[in-house]
Amino acid sequence: GAGVSQTPSNKVTEKGKYVELRCDPISGHTALYWYRQSLGQGPEFLIYFQGTGAADDSGLPNDRFFAVRPEGSVSTLKIQRTERGDSAVYLCASSLAGEYEQYFGPGTRLTVT
Amino acid sequence: AQSVTQLGSHVSVSEGALVLLRCNYSSSVPPYLFWYVQYPNQGLQLLLKYTTGATLVKGINGFEAEFKKSETSFHLTKPSAHMSDAAEYFCAVKGAGNMLTFGGGTRLMVKP
């Protein structure tokens, strides 16, 4: 079956602009996670959804970052007033309820110039 | 809180040699442990996981790992390296909470 998909695969934006990154989880997966992977580092947790609600947003670095999942499926990560330090690969993962194995998408590479 | 330390950001082995990638963790609760592999410009693929039960777990592509509670370790091994094993490997722990905490990664290079 289809895995986790993320769009766009690459995004280049200017400092100060607003961006949206989209994640389509595996069908039937109720849990959805966003991670950020900076160059040469491991992924870092941003936010976790169970269904439509953000169950844990403790990893969001500041209030410029926001994520939604209005219908419990597709999720959008939104970054306002982008900064060069936001440049990274943003990874999305999903899992079945009660399962701990997370399936990752290919990521969106965000470059802020 | 939980954390993961991967010793050695780069490991180089010859084709056919033993692969050993080290991972130590800390967790305030009994951990679930994972190894993921990342090929260039691709997402993370799960190699193997430890949740409960047998402490020696086998994964895909001939990899295995052993959970040692007394050493807080979960090292990844493969008896004989293949050129196709060259990639970045990440150890991760799920402690309290549902998120994964990852180590910094180890880049495995395989020499012909």
Side-chain angles (χ1 to χ4, degrees):
Chain A
V4 177
S5 63
Q6 294 185 244
T7 54
S9 56
N10 282 282
K11 176 70 176 178
V12 180
T13 191
E14 294 179 348
K15 179 177 177 297
K17 298 290 189 182
Y18 168 83
V19 296
E20 291 189 350
L21 312 180
R22 175 187 168 108
C23 172
D24 273 278
I26 294 172
S27 178
H29 282 195
T30 57
L32 185 146
Y33 306 80
W34 284 99
Y35 294 84
R36 179 169 69 173
Q37 186 176 19
S38 299
L39 191 62
Q41 299 182 23
E44 294 178 309
F45 169 74
L46 294 176
I47 187 169
Y48 156 57
F49 288 89
Q50 183 59 255
T52 60
D56 185 346
D57 64 357
S58 62
L60 294 178
N62 52 60
D63 61 7
R64 295 187 297 105
F65 288 75
F66 190 71
V68 296
R69 196 186 184 198
E71 298 179 357
S73 179
V74 171
S75 176
T76 304
L77 178 66
K78 308 181 181 196
I79 311 175
Q80 298 178 318
R81 304 183 305 280
T82 52
E83 300 178 356
R84 291 193 180 89
D86 299 334
S87 295
V89 175
Y90 289 81
L91 297 168
C92 177
S94 68
S95 69
L96 289 167
E99 294 290 329
Y100 302 114
E101 181 172 335
Q102 296 181 20
Y103 296 83
F104 283 80
T108 294
R109 182 176 299 277
L110 175 66
T111 303
V112 182
T113 62
Chain B
Q2 53 268 352
S3 67
V4 175
T5 301
Q6 292 184 239
L7 288 174
S9 59
H10 292 78
V11 170
S12 180
V13 301
S14 297
E15 192 173 20
L18 171 72
V19 175
L20 171 61
L21 304 183
R22 300 179 186 274
C23 172
N24 288 87
Y25 71 90
S26 68
S27 177
S28 57
V29 299
Y32 290 178
L33 295 157
F34 305 83
W35 275 100
Y36 283 86
V37 61
Q38 187 175 39
Y39 297 100
N41 299 316
Q42 294 188 28
L44 298 167
Q45 179 183 5
L46 181 69
L47 275 178
L48 49 79
K49 63 182 178 184
Y50 167 80
T51 53
T52 58
T55 56
L56 181 64
V57 294
K58 296 184 184 297
I60 62 172
N61 301 339
F63 284 93
E64 62 182 38
E66 186 171 11
F67 170 58
K68 292 187 176 180
K69 183 179 178 180
S70 61
E71 298 178 9
T72 61
S73 69
F74 190 57
H75 302 330
L76 182 71
T77 61
K78 181 175 181 178
S80 177
H82 191 273
M83 296 296 291
S84 61
D85 295 327
E88 186 95 22
Y89 292 80
F90 293 94
C91 181
V93 63
K94 191 205 88 67
N98 285 61
M99 81 288 281
L100 296 178
T101 300
F102 287 85
T106 297
R107 181 167 299 280
L108 176 65
M109 296 167 283
V110 182
K111 300 175 291 186

